[in-house]
Amino acid sequence: MTPDHVSRIQEQWRRERPDLDVAPLGVIGRLHRLANRLTDELVAVYRQHGLGEGEFDVLAALRRQGHPFELAPGELADHTMVTTGAMSKRVDRLEDAGLVSRRASEHDGRARVVALTDRGREVIDAAFADHMANEQRLLAEVPERDRATLERILREWLART
């Protein structure tokens, strides 16, 4: 197999620091490079729908909730793993674009909820369909027999970290 970028880096470190085991670079370095490439590919599809990665994430979190497609801002932050401050900025942009609305909760008048608008639902439904097609395309490079194994390894690794 032809040495790739990561292999060359490992060789350089082996030469310069033979006292260190640089084997982890083989996995971590490649995962990092792959994650960057995949992010570029994913974000390109979001942009086709006028969304950034964060906006896609918010709309998808709301859509996954089912009818009435709403969450409290704190719940949204939990579902998307960002701070409430970052969530506020995302929701502001989406509200300005007419894709979400903010209103008082029906259960607690002091609480607020963020809800998909009809236009927001149309946008996320189209964007998610294109996103899934894109992920299918990207995974087509991995033989079918390896996908379940890769998914299992990644799931177990993430559970331990």
PDB file of all heavy atoms in Angstrom, residues 61-83:
ATOM      1  N   ALA A  61     -32.908  19.039  15.200  1.00  0.00           N
ATOM      2  CA  ALA A  61     -33.311  18.692  16.569  1.00  0.00           C
ATOM      3  C   ALA A  61     -34.801  18.965  16.771  1.00  0.00           C
ATOM      4  O   ALA A  61     -35.512  18.154  17.379  1.00  0.00           O
ATOM      5  CB  ALA A  61     -32.477  19.473  17.584  1.00  0.00           C
ATOM      6  N   LEU A  62     -35.284  20.085  16.259  1.00  0.00           N
ATOM      7  CA  LEU A  62     -36.707  20.397  16.373  1.00  0.00           C
ATOM      8  C   LEU A  62     -37.555  19.416  15.571  1.00  0.00           C
ATOM      9  O   LEU A  62     -38.581  18.925  16.051  1.00  0.00           O
ATOM     10  CB  LEU A  62     -36.974  21.831  15.910  1.00  0.00           C
ATOM     11  CG  LEU A  62     -36.425  22.931  16.810  1.00  0.00           C
ATOM     12  CD1 LEU A  62     -36.503  24.279  16.108  1.00  0.00           C
ATOM     13  CD2 LEU A  62     -37.167  22.955  18.144  1.00  0.00           C
ATOM     14  N   ARG A  63     -37.123  19.109  14.365  1.00  0.00           N
ATOM     15  CA  ARG A  63     -37.897  18.216  13.487  1.00  0.00           C
ATOM     16  C   ARG A  63     -37.989  16.815  14.070  1.00  0.00           C
ATOM     17  O   ARG A  63     -39.028  16.153  13.983  1.00  0.00           O
ATOM     18  CB  ARG A  63     -37.247  18.188  12.088  1.00  0.00           C
ATOM     19  CG  ARG A  63     -37.969  17.317  11.087  1.00  0.00           C
ATOM     20  CD  ARG A  63     -39.365  17.864  10.798  1.00  0.00           C
ATOM     21  NE  ARG A  63     -40.025  17.126   9.756  1.00  0.00           N
ATOM     22  CZ  ARG A  63     -40.845  16.088   9.966  1.00  0.00           C
ATOM     23  NH1 ARG A  63     -41.089  15.669  11.195  1.00  0.00           N
ATOM     24  NH2 ARG A  63     -41.418  15.479   8.949  1.00  0.00           N
ATOM     25  N   ARG A  64     -36.911  16.337  14.697  1.00  0.00           N
ATOM     26  CA  ARG A  64     -36.905  14.992  15.276  1.00  0.00           C
ATOM     27  C   ARG A  64     -37.876  14.854  16.440  1.00  0.00           C
ATOM     28  O   ARG A  64     -38.245  13.738  16.801  1.00  0.00           O
ATOM     29  CB  ARG A  64     -35.501  14.632  15.785  1.00  0.00           C
ATOM     30  CG  ARG A  64     -34.479  14.383  14.733  1.00  0.00           C
ATOM     31  CD  ARG A  64     -33.206  13.771  15.304  1.00  0.00           C
ATOM     32  NE  ARG A  64     -32.668  14.419  16.482  1.00  0.00           N
ATOM     33  CZ  ARG A  64     -31.730  15.373  16.477  1.00  0.00           C
ATOM     34  NH1 ARG A  64     -31.218  15.791  15.332  1.00  0.00           N
ATOM     35  NH2 ARG A  64     -31.289  15.894  17.607  1.00  0.00           N
ATOM     36  N   GLN A  65     -38.290  15.965  17.036  1.00  0.00           N
ATOM     37  CA  GLN A  65     -39.194  15.907  18.176  1.00  0.00           C
ATOM     38  C   GLN A  65     -40.601  15.479  17.791  1.00  0.00           C
ATOM     39  O   GLN A  65     -41.373  15.050  18.630  1.00  0.00           O
ATOM     40  CB  GLN A  65     -39.258  17.268  18.883  1.00  0.00           C
ATOM     41  CG  GLN A  65     -37.967  17.692  19.517  1.00  0.00           C
ATOM     42  CD  GLN A  65     -37.412  16.613  20.428  1.00  0.00           C
ATOM     43  OE1 GLN A  65     -38.063  16.193  21.374  1.00  0.00           O
ATOM     44  NE2 GLN A  65     -36.209  16.156  20.131  1.00  0.00           N
ATOM     45  N   GLY A  66     -40.929  15.592  16.516  1.00  0.00           N
ATOM     46  CA  GLY A  66     -42.298  15.317  16.105  1.00  0.00           C
ATOM     47  C   GLY A  66     -43.188  16.498  16.444  1.00  0.00           C
ATOM     48  O   GLY A  66     -42.767  17.464  17.092  1.00  0.00           O
ATOM     49  N   HIS A  67     -44.431  16.390  16.013  1.00  0.00           N
ATOM     50  CA  HIS A  67     -45.385  17.476  16.203  1.00  0.00           C
ATOM     51  C   HIS A  67     -45.526  17.786  17.687  1.00  0.00           C
ATOM     52  O   HIS A  67     -45.636  16.864  18.476  1.00  0.00           O
ATOM     53  CB  HIS A  67     -46.731  17.087  15.591  1.00  0.00           C
ATOM     54  CG  HIS A  67     -47.714  18.195  15.602  1.00  0.00           C
ATOM     55  ND1 HIS A  67     -47.618  19.264  14.751  1.00  0.00           N
ATOM     56  CD2 HIS A  67     -48.785  18.415  16.380  1.00  0.00           C
ATOM     57  CE1 HIS A  67     -48.610  20.099  15.001  1.00  0.00           C
ATOM     58  NE2 HIS A  67     -49.337  19.602  15.981  1.00  0.00           N
ATOM     59  N   PRO A  68     -45.452  19.022  18.131  1.00  0.00           N
ATOM     60  CA  PRO A  68     -45.499  20.286  17.394  1.00  0.00           C
ATOM     61  C   PRO A  68     -44.123  20.870  17.030  1.00  0.00           C
ATOM     62  O   PRO A  68     -44.015  22.062  16.774  1.00  0.00           O
ATOM     63  CB  PRO A  68     -46.251  21.207  18.340  1.00  0.00           C
ATOM     64  CG  PRO A  68     -45.842  20.737  19.697  1.00  0.00           C
ATOM     65  CD  PRO A  68     -45.648  19.249  19.566  1.00  0.00           C
ATOM     66  N   PHE A  69     -43.080  20.040  17.012  1.00  0.00           N
ATOM     67  CA  PHE A  69     -41.742  20.465  16.548  1.00  0.00           C
ATOM     68  C   PHE A  69     -41.200  21.634  17.352  1.00  0.00           C
ATOM     69  O   PHE A  69     -40.809  22.664  16.807  1.00  0.00           O
ATOM     70  CB  PHE A  69     -41.749  20.810  15.053  1.00  0.00           C
ATOM     71  CG  PHE A  69     -42.434  19.789  14.200  1.00  0.00           C
ATOM     72  CD1 PHE A  69     -43.640  20.068  13.586  1.00  0.00           C
ATOM     73  CD2 PHE A  69     -41.880  18.527  14.036  1.00  0.00           C
ATOM     74  CE1 PHE A  69     -44.280  19.115  12.802  1.00  0.00           C
ATOM     75  CE2 PHE A  69     -42.514  17.566  13.266  1.00  0.00           C
ATOM     76  CZ  PHE A  69     -43.721  17.859  12.648  1.00  0.00           C
ATOM     77  N   GLU A  70     -41.151  21.472  18.666  1.00  0.00           N
ATOM     78  CA  GLU A  70     -40.679  22.563  19.517  1.00  0.00           C
ATOM     79  C   GLU A  70     -39.929  22.022  20.726  1.00  0.00           C
ATOM     80  O   GLU A  70     -40.138  20.894  21.161  1.00  0.00           O
ATOM     81  CB  GLU A  70     -41.848  23.435  19.967  1.00  0.00           C
ATOM     82  CG  GLU A  70     -42.869  22.712  20.815  1.00  0.00           C
ATOM     83  CD  GLU A  70     -44.087  23.559  21.136  1.00  0.00           C
ATOM     84  OE1 GLU A  70     -44.463  24.433  20.319  1.00  0.00           O
ATOM     85  OE2 GLU A  70     -44.671  23.346  22.211  1.00  0.00           O
ATOM     86  N   LEU A  71     -39.045  22.873  21.236  1.00  0.00           N
ATOM     87  CA  LEU A  71     -38.271  22.588  22.438  1.00  0.00           C
ATOM     88  C   LEU A  71     -37.989  23.900  23.157  1.00  0.00           C
ATOM     89  O   LEU A  71     -37.926  24.958  22.522  1.00  0.00           O
ATOM     90  CB  LEU A  71     -36.931  21.931  22.096  1.00  0.00           C
ATOM     91  CG  LEU A  71     -36.929  20.480  21.644  1.00  0.00           C
ATOM     92  CD1 LEU A  71     -35.559  20.113  21.072  1.00  0.00           C
ATOM     93  CD2 LEU A  71     -37.297  19.553  22.791  1.00  0.00           C
ATOM     94  N   ALA A  72     -37.759  23.804  24.452  1.00  0.00           N
ATOM     95  CA  ALA A  72     -37.285  24.959  25.204  1.00  0.00           C
ATOM     96  C   ALA A  72     -35.839  25.225  24.787  1.00  0.00           C
ATOM     97  O   ALA A  72     -35.123  24.286  24.408  1.00  0.00           O
ATOM     98  CB  ALA A  72     -37.368  24.675  26.702  1.00  0.00           C
ATOM     99  N   PRO A  73     -35.385  26.468  24.843  1.00  0.00           N
ATOM    100  CA  PRO A  73     -34.006  26.771  24.446  1.00  0.00           C
ATOM    101  C   PRO A  73     -32.956  25.918  25.164  1.00  0.00           C
ATOM    102  O   PRO A  73     -31.995  25.460  24.547  1.00  0.00           O
ATOM    103  CB  PRO A  73     -33.853  28.254  24.773  1.00  0.00           C
ATOM    104  CG  PRO A  73     -35.240  28.801  24.679  1.00  0.00           C
ATOM    105  CD  PRO A  73     -36.132  27.685  25.180  1.00  0.00           C
ATOM    106  N   GLY A  74     -33.128  25.673  26.436  1.00  0.00           N
ATOM    107  CA  GLY A  74     -32.179  24.834  27.177  1.00  0.00           C
ATOM    108  C   GLY A  74     -32.165  23.403  26.673  1.00  0.00           C
ATOM    109  O   GLY A  74     -31.113  22.770  26.578  1.00  0.00           O
ATOM    110  N   GLU A  75     -33.349  22.876  26.335  1.00  0.00           N
ATOM    111  CA  GLU A  75     -33.428  21.517  25.783  1.00  0.00           C
ATOM    112  C   GLU A  75     -32.745  21.461  24.417  1.00  0.00           C
ATOM    113  O   GLU A  75     -32.065  20.491  24.100  1.00  0.00           O
ATOM    114  CB  GLU A  75     -34.884  21.086  25.633  1.00  0.00           C
ATOM    115  CG  GLU A  75     -35.615  20.870  26.929  1.00  0.00           C
ATOM    116  CD  GLU A  75     -37.089  20.576  26.700  1.00  0.00           C
ATOM    117  OE1 GLU A  75     -37.751  21.317  25.946  1.00  0.00           O
ATOM    118  OE2 GLU A  75     -37.566  19.595  27.296  1.00  0.00           O
ATOM    119  N   LEU A  76     -32.939  22.509  23.633  1.00  0.00           N
ATOM    120  CA  LEU A  76     -32.275  22.579  22.329  1.00  0.00           C
ATOM    121  C   LEU A  76     -30.767  22.543  22.503  1.00  0.00           C
ATOM    122  O   LEU A  76     -30.063  21.843  21.774  1.00  0.00           O
ATOM    123  CB  LEU A  76     -32.654  23.876  21.604  1.00  0.00           C
ATOM    124  CG  LEU A  76     -33.648  23.792  20.481  1.00  0.00           C
ATOM    125  CD1 LEU A  76     -33.919  25.174  19.917  1.00  0.00           C
ATOM    126  CD2 LEU A  76     -33.259  22.825  19.423  1.00  0.00           C
ATOM    127  N   ALA A  77     -30.269  23.298  23.468  1.00  0.00           N
ATOM    128  CA  ALA A  77     -28.825  23.319  23.720  1.00  0.00           C
ATOM    129  C   ALA A  77     -28.353  21.920  24.112  1.00  0.00           C
ATOM    130  O   ALA A  77     -27.303  21.462  23.650  1.00  0.00           O
ATOM    131  CB  ALA A  77     -28.489  24.335  24.810  1.00  0.00           C
ATOM    132  N   ASP A  78     -29.131  21.208  24.936  1.00  0.00           N
ATOM    133  CA  ASP A  78     -28.763  19.841  25.329  1.00  0.00           C
ATOM    134  C   ASP A  78     -28.752  18.897  24.129  1.00  0.00           C
ATOM    135  O   ASP A  78     -27.876  18.055  23.993  1.00  0.00           O
ATOM    136  CB  ASP A  78     -29.737  19.288  26.377  1.00  0.00           C
ATOM    137  CG  ASP A  78     -29.596  19.965  27.722  1.00  0.00           C
ATOM    138  OD1 ASP A  78     -28.557  20.622  27.968  1.00  0.00           O
ATOM    139  OD2 ASP A  78     -30.536  19.839  28.541  1.00  0.00           O
ATOM    140  N   HIS A  79     -29.736  19.038  23.252  1.00  0.00           N
ATOM    141  CA  HIS A  79     -29.852  18.159  22.087  1.00  0.00           C
ATOM    142  C   HIS A  79     -28.743  18.403  21.066  1.00  0.00           C
ATOM    143  O   HIS A  79     -28.439  17.532  20.260  1.00  0.00           O
ATOM    144  CB  HIS A  79     -31.211  18.331  21.403  1.00  0.00           C
ATOM    145  CG  HIS A  79     -32.322  17.632  22.094  1.00  0.00           C
ATOM    146  ND1 HIS A  79     -32.662  16.327  21.840  1.00  0.00           N
ATOM    147  CD2 HIS A  79     -33.181  18.055  23.060  1.00  0.00           C
ATOM    148  CE1 HIS A  79     -33.676  15.976  22.608  1.00  0.00           C
ATOM    149  NE2 HIS A  79     -34.007  17.001  23.362  1.00  0.00           N
ATOM    150  N   THR A  80     -28.179  19.602  21.078  1.00  0.00           N
ATOM    151  CA  THR A  80     -27.171  19.945  20.084  1.00  0.00           C
ATOM    152  C   THR A  80     -25.781  20.109  20.688  1.00  0.00           C
ATOM    153  O   THR A  80     -24.833  20.367  19.970  1.00  0.00           O
ATOM    154  CB  THR A  80     -27.562  21.241  19.334  1.00  0.00           C
ATOM    155  OG1 THR A  80     -27.690  22.294  20.275  1.00  0.00           O
ATOM    156  CG2 THR A  80     -28.859  21.063  18.575  1.00  0.00           C
ATOM    157  N   MET A  81     -25.669  19.971  21.997  1.00  0.00           N
ATOM    158  CA  MET A  81     -24.381  20.017  22.692  1.00  0.00           C
ATOM    159  C   MET A  81     -23.628  21.331  22.488  1.00  0.00           C
ATOM    160  O   MET A  81     -22.439  21.345  22.233  1.00  0.00           O
ATOM    161  CB  MET A  81     -23.515  18.817  22.315  1.00  0.00           C
ATOM    162  CG  MET A  81     -24.136  17.505  22.736  1.00  0.00           C
ATOM    163  SD  MET A  81     -23.134  16.073  22.335  1.00  0.00           S
ATOM    164  CE  MET A  81     -23.339  15.981  20.566  1.00  0.00           C
ATOM    165  N   VAL A  82     -24.369  22.452  22.544  1.00  0.00           N
ATOM    166  CA  VAL A  82     -23.735  23.770  22.526  1.00  0.00           C
ATOM    167  C   VAL A  82     -24.213  24.546  23.746  1.00  0.00           C
ATOM    168  O   VAL A  82     -25.197  24.174  24.387  1.00  0.00           O
ATOM    169  CB  VAL A  82     -24.040  24.569  21.230  1.00  0.00           C
ATOM    170  CG1 VAL A  82     -23.514  23.864  20.004  1.00  0.00           C
ATOM    171  CG2 VAL A  82     -25.522  24.852  21.095  1.00  0.00           C
ATOM    172  N   THR A  83     -23.550  25.627  24.038  1.00  0.00           N
ATOM    173  CA  THR A  83     -23.945  26.455  25.171  1.00  0.00           C
ATOM    174  C   THR A  83     -25.257  27.174  24.863  1.00  0.00           C
ATOM    175  O   THR A  83     -25.627  27.345  23.691  1.00  0.00           O
ATOM    176  CB  THR A  83     -22.870  27.518  25.490  1.00  0.00           C
ATOM    177  OG1 THR A  83     -22.790  28.437  24.384  1.00  0.00           O
ATOM    178  CG2 THR A  83     -21.511  26.870  25.749  1.00  0.00           C
TER     179      THR A  83
END
